[in-house]
Amino acid sequence: MRIALHTKVRADRIAEYAAAHREVPQELTAAIRAAGATSWTIWRSGTDLFHVLECEDYAALLAELEKLPVNIAWQARMAELLDVIHDYSADGATAGLPVVWEL
């Protein structure tokens, strides 16, 4: 399945957000893959962040990640940088962007 998400980085923290993503902990990327993600890309336009990820089961991926200390630490770090925090817990699993059109 392919999931699209929209978040916003704080205008005064764009550089810090980009720097953090150049140094995503290998333990976290391994955990994301182990939880079922095959790809995850984030684009930025101004303060808007657009995520597209592919996985077998998004709700299961989130449920697996939400209990891992490396992800808990990462989400705490992101909470400092984001304006609007997307709910990446299992409860937020249905909060992806709906498909309007696809070629």
Side-chain angles (χ1 to χ4, degrees), residues 20-32 70 74 77:
H21 282 81
R22 286 191 296 272
E23 302 171 359
V24 176
Q26 184 176 6
E27 182 184 1
L28 179 58
T29 59
I32 292 169
V70 67
W74 180 260
R77 184 175 185 193

Side-chain angles (χ1 to χ4, degrees), residues 3-100:
I3 302 293
L5 306 167
H6 176 225
T7 55
K8 287 183 155 298
V9 64
R10 288 178 37 184
D12 61 334
R13 306 298 283 275
I14 291 171
E16 194 174 343
Y17 181 86
H21 282 81
R22 286 191 296 272
E23 302 171 359
V24 176
Q26 184 176 6
E27 182 184 1
L28 179 58
T29 59
I32 292 169
R33 284 188 181 98
T38 56
S39 71
W40 192 326
T41 304
I42 303 171
W43 293 268
R44 184 180 64 79
S45 177
T47 59
D48 291 298
L49 303 168
F50 301 94
H51 310 240
V52 173
L53 66 118
E54 294 190 31
C55 62
E56 193 66 34
D57 182 337
Y58 183 52
L61 181 141
L62 295 179
E64 183 65 29
L65 293 177
E66 75 180 348
K67 60 187 174 190
L68 298 178
V70 67
N71 185 59
I72 293 167
W74 180 260
Q75 294 306 322
R77 184 175 185 193
M78 291 302 103
E80 297 173 358
L81 306 177
L82 297 176
D83 257 341
V84 178
I85 300 172
H86 179 81
D87 180 4
Y88 285 111
S89 70
D91 293 338
T94 60
L97 299 173
V99 174
V100 176

